[in-house]
Structure formats: structure tokens, C-alpha cells
């Protein structure tokens, strides 16, 4: 008698996620998660009814769609990574409520809302819970739900939000398939993708040019951020190598048509073009990060680690105040006024750039919590040949299986504020396995030592250096990634500035004002204390190579503008003709801008530390000789 072999996905992911908790934050990253736990994440259910005790996901008669699962998608991993007993109890209460309310049919969640989409988010939560705890109830629970989907999707297909975000649903199905190997799960994954919007075709062939004028799921910023992973998820099922090229083409198109100075495409609700007054929704930031984490895992290309860091170390901290007690719905690359006022968004309300509990709309209030915890989990992943790969850099400790033994890595670094990453390897027994170390594309002179000996740090075609040896306790790896201020050309002759993975902004001094009667921990407007309209003096002798760079210890609130870990002093020239337009910084004048004003020092900080900022600068053309007293 012969048996039919189990059907497996055709494309193998380059890396595998480690269980939640295998990577633990240390140093400044541990402090950042503590800031989050002490801020709005740790208190949201006490302040906001949509995730409070009356939530329909907890059996009440309150909000019954995505907000409860969104909140839990960040609360749960944060609880496990901090080990905070109060957060663990809150997350556990939600998980128990979800697991206890599955019908015999396999359907689960609020019975008065049968939308597929919020259950996709709940599946993401349950897989993380199972990875962290080994809870044996999760696999049969998901199997029953997935069988329900397989039976009902042909007659009630994905629609609206679920149709745009179908790739996220497939990730949950493949999580279970990796544990059970059952053929019908691949059938379900194929069915889900057949009902998912064709992001590959849209982003590579039909992407809108300029600002969207009407709502479309294909031009909605968070949908685009989620949809970007669709070709990579399809690759897992069909193994088609063209999916890699399609992903690159999609990102290139977004950068060319909607890319902003901080490195992420615009989406002030809808795609908005390249002008720096256009915003990026906080939901878009965290979903873009999750997408980059998944694409990096699937394709194993260091480029996606670069993009992940760009979002994580710049836009993510900028989306909140330094202590994470309030967040924005939209942030702007050139953000010089945070007030209740109309702005030239593609579509949003007058309060969309306030720092508060629920500016404009509550999706971001519920969803932004996933950003930092999922970054921690994705810093390191397992390779297909029993090694470990550094997807992104930050201080952390890792416990994982490699080379047939348990290995602990201690990663000591101030990165992204510092340029040295020191890794101590502690295998339980001597073992041979590879370490893959990502070399960022911006770094042209990386250096590497292993156990004190210099090693060639030239990356391979995918951006990694492979270090393979028999590791013994106490072996050390030291990777140095020299950083310098570099310029990024923008439209109209303007420039953006970067320093390693950090985007640099002119930090405009801030006046914070609390709005009366605000809910939660407060709503705030922010106004400039001084002028914001500066051009860069980049003529000979005044360019970035000569700007002083000061590194400081990272404080307990890592992205506090009052204690910045990095300060660059640049040469700037006032441009009084560059003024407000529509309550934002007006369009940049065409550069170079002739001016007779003197060069003055302006302070550049990491983008994530500056809540008022200029990130895209005009260039000044001096009409006098700066070598002569002016």
C-alpha cells in the first residue's frame, strides 16, 4: 500500500522565527519597552472603552471588530518580553476569553460581527501566545477555525479589509501547517490568496502617481504596508522566484512615487505623493515593520533589515511622545506645527497630528503597541542550516538552538546610536554552526573580528557575512559599522540627511500645550519656540563632512529630545521666504536658494527624538564668500 506524501509549501523561507521570548531586550531597548509598558500600552484598557472590560471579545456588548485583537497583538508580546506580572495577567485574561468562546462549528469571536478580518489579527495573537507558552489548546482551536474558513470562504469570500489583507491570514495557516503538515491547510492557504487583492500587479504595474483623491483599499496606507508582503507569502506556496523581483519593484515604485525623506512612503490615510508635509499613519508604520520582518524572514535579504531599521529607529519612536503616553495618527517628515487645524492630507480630520489618546480615529490607538515587541522578536532568526542570523541590531540576549545545542548570545551595543556590535557566544557544548551578520547597505567600511582575529567583512549578494566555526564558551564577535553623515537627494534640489540607520532632523524647540478636558493621559498640541525655516549650507567647506558629531550615553527614555544620544551640529541659513502653508511647512523652494544671510549652527537630532522637525531641507546658495567676515 502506498501513501500520498503530505503536500508542503513549494518555497522554503530563508529564516525561521524564534519563539517569542527567545530574544530578550537589554540595554536601551529594554528601557524602551519599559517606557511602553509604563505608558499608554499598560493602561489603555483602563482609559479607553473600546478595549475595556465591555469589549465584545471579552464577552461584553462593546466594540466587536478589530480594536481588541489589535491591542492584544502588541500587549501580549510586550508582556512576555518585559515579564511584567500585571501585563501578563491582562494579556492572559484576553487569551482565555478568546479560547473559551469558540463554537462547535469552529467560529469564534463576537457573534454579532462575522467579519473575517479581525479574526486574522486574533490568530496572530494566538500563535504568539502558543510560541511563548506552549499552550496545547491553540493548535486544535486554530484547526477548527481554519476548517470553518475552508468550508465557508467559497460562499462568503474575503471582502473589503480582509480581502486587502489576506496575506496576513495565510501566515497563520502556514504556522499551523508547520506543526501538523496537514494537506488541507495548504488548500486553505491557496483559497485565501485567490481571494486576496492582487498587490503584486497593482504595486508593480498600476501604482497611483501623486495623491489619491478617493478611497480605495489599494491606496490606503496601512493596506499598502500589509499588502507589500503578499508576493513573499505567495512565494511560500508556489516557489516562484519572480516574487522576489516583484517585491523589489513594488518598493522601488513606492519610493519613486510616494517616498518621503525618512524612507517610508506617504499615507495620510491614502497615498499622498512625495511632498514632505504629507503624513504617515501610525498603523502604517507598525504594519510596514511587520511586513519587513516577514519579508526578511522569507527571502533572507539584508535589504529588508535595512528598511526595518529605518522605520523602527525613526518613524516608530516619532509616532509617540518620548514616554509613550500619547500618539499621533499622522506624523510628517517636515512637522513644524501640531495643532487642531485643517491640513493638506489626502484624507483626515483636523486633529490627525495631535499627540493624544484617539486623534482622528482609534485604529492607531489600538494597533501601535505591536511595533517595539515584534522588533525585539525579529532581531535574530534561525537559518535553514541550524545557524542564527542577525536581521537587525539592538542590545539583546538570545537563547536558541544552533548546531545541535542550546546557544546563548549576548549582544552588547548602543546601535543605532553607536557603531559597534559586540556578540558573546555561549554554547552549552562546543558546536559548529554559522552566524549570519547583516552588513547594512549604507556601510561601506565594515570591520569584523572573531575571537580577536580579523575576518573579511565583505557581504554576500544578500547583504550578510557568514561566520562559520566551532564555537566555544566565551567566543566573541565584534562588528564595527562606521557611521557618517550622508546626504539623500530629494525633489527640487532638496536634501535629507542620515547617519547610519538614523534619519537626522533639525529639532525645532517645542512648546507643549495640554488640551482641556482630554481623555486618557492627555491630548497635546506642540508649537515651535524658534524658527524652523532653515536651509542647509552645503557649499564647499560647509558640507556634512565637517559637521561635529557628538555621541552621548543613551538615557532611560531613549528618544527624549532633552537627553538625545546623538547630536550633529550643521551649518544652516535662515530662509524667511519659506513659510507656513495650510498649517504645515510650505512647499520647499527650488534649490539652491540664493541668500545673503549668514551661516549659523543648527542642531540635528535623530528623527525619532524630534517631535517638531525639518527633515527635508532646501540648499542655500550663498551670495557672499563665507571665508570673509559677514
Amino acid at each position: 500500500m502506498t501513501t500520498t506524501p503530505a503536500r508542503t509549501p513549494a518555497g522554503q523561507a530563508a529564516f525561521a522565527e524564534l519563539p517569542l521570548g527567545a530574544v530578550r531586550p537589554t540595554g536601551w531597548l529594554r528601557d524602551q519597552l519599559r517606557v511602553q509598558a509604563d505608558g499608554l500600552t499598560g493602561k489603555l484598557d483602563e482609559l479607553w472603552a473600546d478595549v475595556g472590560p465591555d469589549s465584545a471579545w471579552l464577552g461584553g456588548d462593546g466594540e466587536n471588530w478589530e480594536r481588541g485583537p489589535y491591542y492584544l497583538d502588541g500587549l501580549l508580546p510586550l508582556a512576555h518580553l518585559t515579564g511584567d506580572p500585571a501585563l501578563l495577567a491582562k494579556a492572559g485574561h484576553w487569551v482565555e476569553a478568546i479560547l473559551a468562546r469558540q463554537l462547535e462549528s469552529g467560529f469564534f469571536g463576537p457573534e454579532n460581527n462575522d467579519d473575517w478580518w479581525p479574526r486574522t489579527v486574533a490568530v496572530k495573537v494566538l500563535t504568539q501566545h502558543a510560541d511563548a507558552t506552549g499552550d496545547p489548546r491553540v493548535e486544535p482551536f486554530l484547526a477548527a477555525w481554519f476548517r470553518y474558513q475552508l468550508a465557508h470562504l467559497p460562499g462568503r469570500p474575503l471582502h473589503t479589509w480582509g480581502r486587502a489583507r489576506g496575506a496576513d491570514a495565510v501566515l497563520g495557516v502556514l504556522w499551523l501547517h508547520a506543526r501538523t503538515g496537514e494537506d488541507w491547510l495548504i488548500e486553505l492557504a491557496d483559497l485565501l490568496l485567490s481571494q486576496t487583492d492582487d498587490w503584486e500587479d497593482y504595486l508593480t504595474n498600476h501604482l497611483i502617481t501623486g495623491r489619491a483623491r478617493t478611497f480605495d483599499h489599494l491606496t490606503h496606507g496601512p493596506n499598502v504596508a500589509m499588502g507589500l508582503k503578499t508576493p513573499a507569502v505567495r512565494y511560500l506556496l508556489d516557489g516562484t522566484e519572480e516574487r522576489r523581483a516583484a517585491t523589489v519593484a513594488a518598493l522601488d515604485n513606492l519610493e519613486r512615487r510616494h517616498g518621503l525623506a525618512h524612507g517610508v512612503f506617504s499615507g495620510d490615510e491614502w497615498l499622498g505623493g512625495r511632498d514632505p508635509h504629507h503624513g504617515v499613519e501610525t498603523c502604517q508604520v507598525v504594519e510596514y515593520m511587520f511586513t519587513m520582518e516577514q519579508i526578511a524572514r522569507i527571502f533572507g535579504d539584508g535589504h529588508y533589515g535595512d528598511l526595518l531599521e529605518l522605520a523602527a529607529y525613526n518613524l516608530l519612536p516619532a509616532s509617540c511622545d518620548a514616554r509613550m503616553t500619547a500618539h499621533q495618527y499622522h506624523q510628517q517628515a517636515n512637522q513644524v506645527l501640531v495643532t487642531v487645524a485643517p491640513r493638506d492630507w489626502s484624507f483626515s480630520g483636523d486633529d490627525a497630528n495631535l499627540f493624544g489618546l484617539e486623534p482622528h480615529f482609534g485604529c492607531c490607538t489600538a494597533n501601535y503597541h505591536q511595533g517595539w515587541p515584534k522588533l525585539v522578536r525579529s532581531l535574530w532568526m534561525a537559518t535553514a542550516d541550524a545557524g542564527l542570523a542577525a536581521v537587525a541590531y539592538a542590545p539583546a540576549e538570545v537563547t536558541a538552538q544552533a548546531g545541535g545545542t542550546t546557544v546563548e548570545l549576548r549582544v552588547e551595543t548602543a546601535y543605532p546610536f553607536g557603531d559597534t556590535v559586540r556578540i558573546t557566544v555561549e554554547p552549552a557544548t562546543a558546536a559548529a554552526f554559522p552566524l549570519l551578520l547583516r552588513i547594512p547597505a549604507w556601510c561601506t567600511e565594515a570591520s569584523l573580528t572573531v575571537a580577536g582575529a580579523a575576518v573579511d567583512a565583505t557581504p554576500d549578494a544578500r547583504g550578510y557575512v557568514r561566520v562559520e566555526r566551532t564555537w566555544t564558551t566565551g567566543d566573541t564577535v565584534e562588528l564595527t559599522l562606521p557611521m557618517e553623515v550622508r546626504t539623500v537627494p530629494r525633489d527640487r534640489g532638496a536634501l535629507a540627511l542620515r547617519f547610519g540607520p538614523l534619519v537626522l532632523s533639525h529639532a525645532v524647540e517645542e512648546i507643549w500645550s495640554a488640551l482641556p478636558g482630554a481623555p486618557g493621559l492627555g491630548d497635546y498640541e506642540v508649537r515651535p519656540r524658534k524658527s524652523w525655516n532653515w536651509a542647509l549650507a552645503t557649499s564647499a567647506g560647509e558640507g556634512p563632512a565637517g559637521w561635529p558629531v557628538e555621541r552621548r550615553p543613551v538615557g532611560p527614555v531613549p528618544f527624549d529630545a532633552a537627553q538625545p544620544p546623538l547630536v550633529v551640529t550643521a551649518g544652516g541659513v535662515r530662509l524667511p521666504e519659506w513659510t507656513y502653508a495650510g498649517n504645515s511647512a510650505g512647499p520647499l523652494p527650488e534649490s539652491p536658494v540664493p541668500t545673503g544671510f549668514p551661516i549659523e549652527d543648527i542642531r540635528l537630532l535623530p528623527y525619532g527624538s524630534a517631535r517638531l522637525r525639518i527633515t527635508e531641507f532646501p540648499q542655500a546658495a550663498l551670495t557672499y564668500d563665507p571665508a570673509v567676515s559677514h
Side-chain angles (χ1 to χ4, degrees):
M1 175 176 149
T2 61
T3 59
T4 302
R7 185 175 166 205
T8 59
Q12 182 180 12
F15 303 147
E17 285 183 315
L18 298 174
L20 176 60
V23 184
R24 302 174 302 282
T26 60
W28 74 260
L29 186 56
R30 178 183 55 217
D31 291 342
Q32 184 65 34
L33 264 66
R34 189 67 255 166
V35 166
Q36 180 175 354
D38 291 340
L40 202 54
T41 302
K43 301 177 174 66
L44 189 62
D45 61 329
E46 303 164 25
L47 301 169
W48 196 46
D50 283 358
V51 298
D54 290 334
S55 167
W57 288 90
L58 296 174
D61 57 3
E63 201 272 343
N64 65 3
W65 193 44
E66 67 182 5
R67 295 184 180 183
Y70 262 165
Y71 177 47
L72 190 55
D73 193 29
L75 173 66
L76 184 140
L78 179 67
H80 283 284
L81 292 172
T82 60
D84 186 299
L87 297 189
L88 285 166
K90 289 186 180 189
H93 176 59
W94 281 84
V95 169
E96 291 302 320
I98 291 172
L99 291 175
R101 289 177 171 83
Q102 187 171 46
L103 304 181
E104 186 175 344
S105 65
F107 182 85
F108 75 98
E111 294 185 43
N112 58 351
N113 186 329
D114 65 357
D115 191 356
W116 300 111
W117 162 242
R119 290 162 177 83
T120 292
V121 185
V123 168
K124 290 166 66 180
V125 170
L126 292 176
T127 59
Q128 292 177 88
H129 167 70
D131 285 343
T133 66
D135 190 332
R137 297 173 295 171
V138 172
E139 289 186 20
F141 181 99
L142 293 183
W145 165 242
F146 292 150
R147 286 197 179 277
Y148 177 91
Q149 285 191 296
L150 188 61
H152 290 83
L153 280 168
R156 189 168 68 87
L158 298 178
H159 60 95
T160 60
W161 303 103
R163 181 176 180 84
R165 302 166 177 183
D168 285 75
V170 175
L171 291 175
V173 175
L174 294 181
W175 181 92
L176 186 59
H177 181 271
R179 287 153 180 78
T180 67
E182 294 179 309
D183 295 3
W184 65 270
L185 289 166
I186 301 301
E187 181 184 351
L188 173 59
D190 285 336
L191 176 60
L192 286 164
L193 282 177
S194 73
Q195 296 180 1
T196 298
D197 286 327
D198 191 347
W199 286 103
E200 186 170 331
D201 180 55
Y202 175 72
L203 293 174
T204 57
N205 298 316
H206 305 293
L207 180 63
I208 189 173
T209 300
R211 180 171 55 180
R213 300 288 181 175
T214 59
F215 175 76
D216 187 311
H217 279 285
L218 296 176
T219 61
H220 179 256
N223 280 357
V224 175
M226 297 184 198
L228 269 166
K229 70 172 71 69
T230 306
V233 172
R234 289 187 186 278
Y235 168 81
L236 291 176
L237 291 171
D238 63 22
T240 302
E241 286 296 324
E242 286 78 5
R243 307 294 186 200
R244 297 177 188 268
T247 302
V248 172
L251 284 163
D252 286 348
N253 275 349
L254 284 165
E255 169 60 26
R256 183 170 63 255
R257 297 178 179 179
H258 302 282
L260 296 175
H262 45 52
V264 175
F265 57 90
S266 63
D268 37 27
E269 195 75 30
W270 310 335
L271 294 172
R274 290 173 54 87
D275 288 326
H277 70 274
H278 277 295
V280 178
E281 186 179 332
T282 294
C283 275
Q284 179 180 324
V285 174
V286 295
E287 294 297 350
Y288 178 88
M289 285 177 56
F290 181 65
T291 287
M292 291 305 110
E293 290 156 3
Q294 295 305 309
I295 298 176
R297 174 181 69 86
I298 293 167
F299 289 148
D301 289 336
H303 173 60
Y304 302 112
D306 291 359
L307 296 179
L308 171 61
E309 289 185 352
L310 199 58
Y313 297 147
N314 297 287
L315 285 86
L316 180 61
S319 68
C320 299
D321 71 293
R323 294 187 177 275
M324 295 190 73
T325 62
H327 78 283
Q328 289 183 295
Y329 192 78
H330 293 323
Q331 61 179 279
Q332 298 166 289
N334 284 0
Q335 181 166 283
V336 296
L337 191 64
V338 173
T339 56
V340 179
R343 287 179 171 80
D344 186 30
W345 309 124
S346 60
F347 176 80
S348 282
D350 292 353
D351 63 344
N353 79 335
L354 288 185
F355 286 92
L357 174 68
E358 192 181 4
H360 181 60
F361 194 67
C363 56
C364 298
T365 307
N367 193 21
Y368 81 84
H369 314 273
Q370 66 170 301
W372 288 112
K374 290 186 181 178
L375 172 69
V376 172
R377 183 178 186 178
S378 299
L379 292 173
W380 287 81
M381 297 186 184
T383 68
D385 54 357
L388 295 169
V391 172
Y393 293 112
E397 294 176 347
V398 183
T399 303
Q401 293 297 304
T405 192
T406 300
V407 177
E408 294 186 1
L409 303 180
R410 187 168 66 252
V411 184
E412 299 169 284
T413 184
Y415 190 96
F417 312 109
D419 54 14
T420 300
V421 181
R422 181 180 176 85
I423 304 167
T424 304
V425 184
E426 301 280 356
T429 59
F433 59 88
L435 282 184
L436 273 63
L437 304 175
R438 187 184 118 258
I439 307 298
W442 50 259
C443 184
T444 58
E445 297 183 1
S447 62
L448 177 65
T449 63
V450 179
V455 174
D456 183 9
T458 303
D460 61 19
R462 294 193 174 171
Y464 282 89
V465 169
R466 182 183 179 90
V467 181
E468 189 160 13
R469 59 184 272 127
T470 298
W471 301 91
T472 57
T473 296
D475 281 348
T476 60
V477 174
E478 190 162 300
L479 176 65
T480 302
L481 303 168
M483 301 175 186
E484 59 184 12
V485 180
R486 64 191 192 279
T487 58
V488 179
R490 297 291 301 163
D491 301 342
R492 304 186 187 95
L495 291 177
L497 301 170
R498 295 185 185 170
F499 186 81
L502 296 173
V503 176
L504 296 178
S505 299
H506 169 48
V508 183
E509 291 191 36
E510 304 163 1
I511 303 172
W512 287 67
S513 303
L515 295 181
L521 301 178
D523 285 357
Y524 300 92
E525 294 185 326
V526 191
R527 292 176 171 83
R529 186 182 297 273
K530 293 184 178 180
S531 299
W532 54 263
N533 44 355
W534 293 85
L536 294 176
T538 51
S539 57
E542 299 293 341
W547 293 344
V549 176
E550 180 185 0
R551 284 185 164 118
R552 304 172 179 178
V554 186
V557 182
F559 292 93
D560 186 353
Q563 294 181 296
L566 178 77
V567 179
V568 177
T569 303
V573 178
R574 296 175 186 271
L575 287 184
E577 64 269 37
W578 184 23
T579 60
Y580 290 104
N583 298 299
S584 295
L588 274 68
E590 193 74 32
S591 292
V593 184
T595 179
F597 279 82
I599 298 173
E600 302 179 51
D601 288 345
I602 61 172
R603 187 178 67 151
L604 305 178
L605 299 187
Y607 176 99
S609 299
R611 275 75 192 180
L612 293 185
R613 56 186 171 258
I614 292 295
T615 310
E616 184 169 325
F617 297 87
Q619 296 187 71
L622 304 181
T623 58
Y624 61 91
D625 184 351
V628 179
S629 178
H630 186 73

